[in-house]
Amino acid sequence: MSDETVTLTVNRTGESHEFPVLHGTEGPGTIDISKLYGKTGLFTYDQGFVSTASCNSSITYIDGDEGILRYRGYPIEQLAAKCAYTEVAYLLMYGDLPNSEQHDKFVTDMHRYAMINESLTNFFKGFRYDSHPMAMMVGVMGSLSAFYHDSLDINNPEHREFSAQRMIAKVPTIAAAAYKRNNGEPFVYPRNEYEYCGNFLRMMFSTPCCDFKLDPVAERALNVLFILHADHEQNASTSTVRLAASSGANPFTCISAGIASLWGPAHGGANEAVLDMLHEIGDVKNIPAYIERAKDKDDPFRLMGFGHRVYKNYDPRAKIIREVADEVLERYVGEDTPLFDLARELERIALEDDYFVERKLYPNVDFYSGIIYRALGFPKNMFTPLFAIARTSGWVSHWMEMMDDPSNRIGRPRQLYDGEAERSHVAMQYRK
Ligand code: ACO
């Protein structure tokens, strides 16, 4: 803790007040304004939390100007190159990479909890056959709280760990079941001889009528993509999980709220939107017209997969994903190669355009991920569910961190009211 302070002078009253500046391990100093209202009667206003730290956390560090992302201190590049997703999930949850004994136990736990209660299959059948898998995931994840009454005491650390592990283990099973519901195929149960990503691929793509052969290129690509998507500090969905959890709500409903927030096209839904956009552009010759549309403030069109609230440099995840895309598309040469070429050309043209340069708009994690997912055989509406599977380890880690913090208080932002001032009731016959 430093002795640094900032002084705020309220011109109207001439009063000055000092506020402490907090410093974390890295990153900008943070003015502690928790006593601001008490001292001055003033709120702060920061729509979209552009300059506001909503909590302290020791899970993930981002330096958006330098393009740095680290989980628990480890650079994302090293984790993506060297780890299994389950090691990274363990790292996020517990703070350190597991040794082999700890990892074996974690993987065994993941296998143990991977099945979902059989009555949930009826739940899936209750959805229309063409429901978006994200809609099913929101519902089914939340409904797990109706099944696990044995571990819902959020004040019990063992219950918390149990629930967190259950969610990481079950979320691929839930996503795969949603896909099978869309396709009218029988659900495929998880099998313990597969690792996390392989198991998910098998639950997605095996059917009773043909043997499933796991492709190591696909498994490796998914492993990297899951690691890259596992956490990203206080993004919209993680902040949603934290806000929901601050009231003491049960963990399954909090993660369900996170899934709902992720679905939006400004967040996790962007991977699906990128593919739509590339199809709409269709050809390299049409790129300039779409770049002009993206720059036009009267046109709602935006270059999907471009820009980021925090990264004002190349998103480090996008760099890694581009390399994975090369490998996957080389293996699965097919109709997606032109799409990848189109994306690369779009990136090249945008990065030379003053509009994007001045605003520091670079490709984000989702610019290339959809192309890889599609090459691997995932339909477009499964792209955001894939993100949700990967992000579950991050969400539950933030939830555990928050529940472990005795200073946790209910999240309750204030507002700048700009509605009507007080007025009197008018009887209906006299209203206009
Ligand atoms: N295309 C065109 N212009 C853009 C884009 C874009 N993709 N992104 C930002 N801009 C422009 C804005 O119009 C604004 O211009 P102005 O200063 O002239 O008004 C400026 O760049 C700053 O943009 P903001 O919207 O203020 O940035 P914000 O931090 O609020 O939004 C966001 C970030 C939502 C990611 C935005 O860049 C965007 O909509 N991108 C496309 C959607 C997308 O790819 N989302 C995925 C994000 S990554 C993730 O969630 C995993």
Side-chain angles (χ1 to χ4, degrees), residues 251-313:
F252 301 104
T253 49
C254 296
I255 302 305
S256 166
I259 297 173
S261 166
L262 185 75
W263 195 1
H267 190 12
N271 50 17
E272 200 176 329
V274 169
L275 219 71
D276 286 336
M277 176 189 73
L278 292 174
H279 279 299
E280 194 183 319
I281 296 175
D283 193 285
V284 171
K285 71 174 186 325
N286 300 328
I287 292 176
Y290 279 88
I291 295 271
E292 287 314 307
R293 283 190 60 193
K295 289 157 42 174
D296 180 356
K297 298 291 173 207
D298 296 326
D299 188 329
F301 176 79
R302 280 193 160 197
L303 220 50
M304 299 313 288
F306 253 77
H308 197 275
R309 170 62 60 78
V310 182
Y311 292 119
K312 302 303 169 199
N313 199 328

Side-chain angles (χ1 to χ4, degrees), residues 134-360:
M134 283 298 278
M136 292 192 253
M137 287 184 79
V138 169
V140 174
M141 181 59 87
S143 78
L144 293 184
S145 46
F147 287 83
Y148 299 112
H149 301 283
D150 60 337
S151 59
L152 286 182
D153 179 1
I154 57 165
N155 297 314
N156 180 330
E158 280 174 19
H159 282 208
R160 297 204 290 261
E161 182 180 20
F162 204 20
S163 297
Q165 290 197 353
R166 270 177 169 152
M167 284 187 273
I168 300 175
K170 289 182 197 306
V171 70
T173 315
I174 293 170
Y179 170 75
K180 291 296 188 190
R181 171 70 189 139
N182 280 167
N183 285 277
E185 291 174 13
F187 301 141
V188 176
Y189 294 106
R191 286 196 62 94
N192 293 355
E193 66 267 35
Y194 289 88
E195 298 196 358
Y196 193 86
C197 295
N199 215 349
F200 173 61
L201 286 167
R202 185 182 159 278
M203 286 189 282
M204 282 286 302
F205 297 122
S206 73
T207 62
C209 53
C210 64
D211 290 336
F212 173 75
K213 251 188 106 199
L214 180 60
D215 174 8
V217 172
E219 189 180 24
R220 211 168 36 246
L222 204 60
N223 188 65
V224 172
L225 284 159
F226 277 10
I227 290 172
L228 298 180
H229 284 89
D231 194 45
H232 214 229
E233 52 118 304
Q234 310 311 322
N235 55 83
S237 55
T238 304
S239 300
T240 301
V241 170
R242 279 185 179 263
L243 194 56
S246 75
S247 71
N250 80 66
F252 301 104
T253 49
C254 296
I255 302 305
S256 166
I259 297 173
S261 166
L262 185 75
W263 195 1
H267 190 12
N271 50 17
E272 200 176 329
V274 169
L275 219 71
D276 286 336
M277 176 189 73
L278 292 174
H279 279 299
E280 194 183 319
I281 296 175
D283 193 285
V284 171
K285 71 174 186 325
N286 300 328
I287 292 176
Y290 279 88
I291 295 271
E292 287 314 307
R293 283 190 60 193
K295 289 157 42 174
D296 180 356
K297 298 291 173 207
D298 296 326
D299 188 329
F301 176 79
R302 280 193 160 197
L303 220 50
M304 299 313 288
F306 253 77
H308 197 275
R309 170 62 60 78
V310 182
Y311 292 119
K312 302 303 169 199
N313 199 328
Y314 212 99
D315 182 337
R317 302 167 299 174
K319 262 190 208 150
I320 302 169
I321 287 188
R322 234 183 107 141
E323 287 158 24
V324 177
D326 275 328
E327 194 188 357
V328 167
L329 292 173
E330 198 175 307
R331 172 97 170 83
Y332 294 90
V333 191
E335 54 174 313
D336 289 316
T337 314
L339 218 55
F340 187 43
D341 293 340
L342 182 66
R344 275 199 287 212
E345 188 58 6
L346 180 59
E347 177 192 341
R348 190 190 65 74
I349 294 175
L351 292 184
E352 285 176 359
D353 191 295
D354 284 350
Y355 174 94
F356 292 88
V357 174
E358 278 160 18
R359 289 168 180 74
K360 298 184 177 165

